[in-house]
Amino acid sequence: MDPLDKQYQLVLIIILISLIIAAGISVLFTPGPEHDQKSDIFIQISQGDTGADVGKAENWIVRILWVDDKNRTYSFQDYPQESKPDPESYSIEGKPPDGSQAAMIRFLSWDGNTERTHGARYIMDQEMITSILNKYSLMASLSPVPVSTPDYVQTPVPGAPVPGMLVPESGVVCRNDDGSFTARFGYISRHDYPVSLPVGEQNRFYPGVEDRGQPVVFMPGIHHDAFTVTYPADATNQVWSLMNRQASAGTVPEVNTSITIEPVSGYAPLEVRFSQRSTGSVSDNPLSGSWNLGDGTISSAIEPFYHRYENPGTYIVSYMVQNTCNHAKDTGVVRVHRASFIWNITHGSSDVRFESTSEGEPSLWFWDFGDGYTSWDEKPVHTYQKPGIYKVGLTVSGEHGKGTAVNTITIPPQ
């Protein structure tokens, strides 16, 4: 074959290979109908949603839970955003209102009808937040604090409650000094937004007047002790009806306590048994008590227990029991006596005069002189036959029990 023909064929092969490579590159980088750029952006925005078209949301909202530990209050405050905030990088600027601190930040969208949650960031521990919502009082509003972009505050208009999502609850009922009762009421709202329920057929007390100070706007979450109602001792049981559910305020028995001490006196060391009997405890307002045994010992024991007094003395014992409303106290006295004696050795002889100095007015005395001899006299005189060291013991007995004292004496050579 002619060399020119070979060169011509080589050029054609190179051109054909170039066209195939170009076609492959074009197919590789051409976006298909399911992977266009707009679709990727929309999926990224709606990540974590439940199918809602958040691209149509009119407002992005940051909801901050403010906590004031000094006044034991909290409040939810809403701050609109110009664009979707990033939960990881969002920061609060400005001085918190009324000395409060932020506990939690929630990121929401609001389209005029529906409020949706898109994430949350916990600044405090979640258990701490739950405790605050359960124990602190809810504030209606706080002054706005400057945040990243907005200069104004816009809160969604409270909607209507959904059946089964708003539940009343009764809290502690306390007996007052004048015989009346004060009941605390709260509620649980499972809504993610405020709901409004005016005083009326579905938000009323009976018997008696409908309006007893109950809320008309209910915030999301658990709210114990939202308000209180005071009623006389002879009043019929108070019932709060909310969305066809009822919470009843009962009565609490009066708090009383009495203690038993056995024995109340004796000789050191003295083993004493303590027990208490208290009334006034209910399931939602239990009693708690504390013993003070008078010698620096504090105990929270509920069941009977023993304590040993090592040293003589008079000990004032008290037991304090209390619940959220009231308290009661009972006291007693434990007297611990000393068994003791003195002795005097007659000069120039082996005669020793003994005398009991024991407390508690004993009626019996038993002496062991340490040389095999004993005596039942109150003030015996004993003659030792040999010089030496003797361990002398005295046991006394009477209405306060039995006590023992032991001392070592030395009988010198004659």
Side-chain angles (χ1 to χ4, degrees), residues 159-168 188-191 193 195-197 202 242-245:
V162 178
M165 299 284 283
L166 191 60
V167 181
I188 301 173
S189 177
R190 299 189 178 97
H191 301 85
Y193 52 89
V195 295
S196 177
L197 188 63
Q202 290 189 311
L242 185 66
M243 289 294 291
N244 297 323
R245 297 206 181 185

Side-chain angles (χ1 to χ4, degrees), residues 252-259 275-282 285-292 298-303 317-331:
V252 173
E254 188 175 355
V255 177
N256 288 297
T257 188
S258 62
I259 62 175
S275 62
Q276 59 84 23
R277 186 171 183 177
S278 303
T279 59
S281 178
V282 292
N285 191 11
L287 294 174
S288 61
S290 177
W291 289 90
N292 186 335
I298 304 297
S299 174
S300 58
I302 299 176
E303 300 298 327
V317 178
S318 65
Y319 181 69
M320 171 76 77
V321 63
Q322 61 185 2
N323 57 19
T324 305
C325 307
N326 301 302
H327 68 274
K329 183 179 181 181
D330 193 16
T331 60

Side-chain angles (χ1 to χ4, degrees), residues 222-258:
I222 301 174
H223 304 275
H224 300 307
D225 303 338
F227 65 101
T228 60
V229 173
T230 300
Y231 53 95
D234 58 353
T236 306
N237 204 20
Q238 302 295 299
V239 178
W240 183 30
S241 178
L242 185 66
M243 289 294 291
N244 297 323
R245 297 206 181 185
Q246 297 180 354
S248 175
T251 59
V252 173
E254 188 175 355
V255 177
N256 288 297
T257 188
S258 62

Side-chain angles (χ1 to χ4, degrees), residues 295-315:
D295 63 349
T297 303
I298 304 297
S299 174
S300 58
I302 299 176
E303 300 298 327
F305 66 98
Y306 287 88
H307 179 70
R308 182 184 178 95
Y309 290 93
E310 299 290 345
N311 300 311
T314 300
Y315 301 94

Side-chain angles (χ1 to χ4, degrees), residues 96-365:
D98 300 328
S100 301
Q101 57 179 324
M104 179 181 67
I105 305 176
R106 301 181 71 184
F107 301 90
L108 317 167
S109 65
W110 173 253
D111 62 6
N113 294 310
T114 305
E115 182 181 279
R116 297 183 176 90
T117 301
H118 301 276
R121 199 171 93 206
Y122 291 91
I123 299 176
M124 293 184 178
D125 183 80
Q126 294 188 39
E127 294 184 359
M128 183 180 298
I129 292 176
T130 301
S131 176
I132 288 170
L133 296 177
N134 289 342
K135 297 180 180 179
Y136 286 18
S137 300
L138 175 66
M139 295 288 291
S141 63
L142 289 172
S143 302
V145 63
V147 289
S148 33
T149 53
D151 295 324
Y152 60 95
V153 175
Q154 178 181 351
T155 302
V157 178
V162 178
M165 299 284 283
L166 191 60
V167 181
E169 65 171 19
S170 61
V172 175
V173 182
C174 295
R175 182 191 300 269
N176 302 317
D177 293 337
D178 60 359
S180 63
F181 293 94
T182 298
R184 304 178 185 179
F185 288 88
Y187 64 88
I188 301 173
S189 177
R190 299 189 178 97
H191 301 85
D192 290 334
Y193 52 89
V195 295
S196 177
L197 188 63
V199 176
E201 288 300 319
Q202 290 189 311
N203 181 11
R204 69 185 301 271
F205 270 91
Y206 63 88
V209 296
E210 294 181 346
D211 188 359
R212 302 298 294 271
Q214 62 265 40
V216 296
V217 175
F218 299 84
M219 305 300 292
I222 301 174
H223 304 275
H224 300 307
D225 303 338
F227 65 101
T228 60
V229 173
T230 300
Y231 53 95
D234 58 353
T236 306
N237 204 20
Q238 302 295 299
V239 178
W240 183 30
S241 178
L242 185 66
M243 289 294 291
N244 297 323
R245 297 206 181 185
Q246 297 180 354
S248 175
T251 59
V252 173
E254 188 175 355
V255 177
N256 288 297
T257 188
S258 62
I259 62 175
T260 301
I261 304 174
E262 298 174 326
V264 295
S265 63
Y267 288 91
L270 182 64
E271 191 89 2
V272 181
R273 183 181 185 271
F274 297 94
S275 62
Q276 59 84 23
R277 186 171 183 177
S278 303
T279 59
S281 178
V282 292
S283 58
D284 58 353
N285 191 11
L287 294 174
S288 61
S290 177
W291 289 90
N292 186 335
L293 302 184
D295 63 349
T297 303
I298 304 297
S299 174
S300 58
I302 299 176
E303 300 298 327
F305 66 98
Y306 287 88
H307 179 70
R308 182 184 178 95
Y309 290 93
E310 299 290 345
N311 300 311
T314 300
Y315 301 94
I316 307 298
V317 178
S318 65
Y319 181 69
M320 171 76 77
V321 63
Q322 61 185 2
N323 57 19
T324 305
C325 307
N326 301 302
H327 68 274
K329 183 179 181 181
D330 193 16
T331 60
V333 178
V334 176
R335 291 182 172 86
V336 183
H337 301 292
R338 181 194 305 274
S340 60
F341 64 89
I342 59 175
W343 65 94
N344 182 33
I345 302 175
T346 303
H347 182 69
S349 71
S350 298
D351 295 341
V352 182
R353 183 179 298 276
F354 294 94
E355 181 179 354
S356 172
T357 55
S358 301
E359 302 169 349
E361 299 179 354
S363 55
L364 292 175
W365 302 265

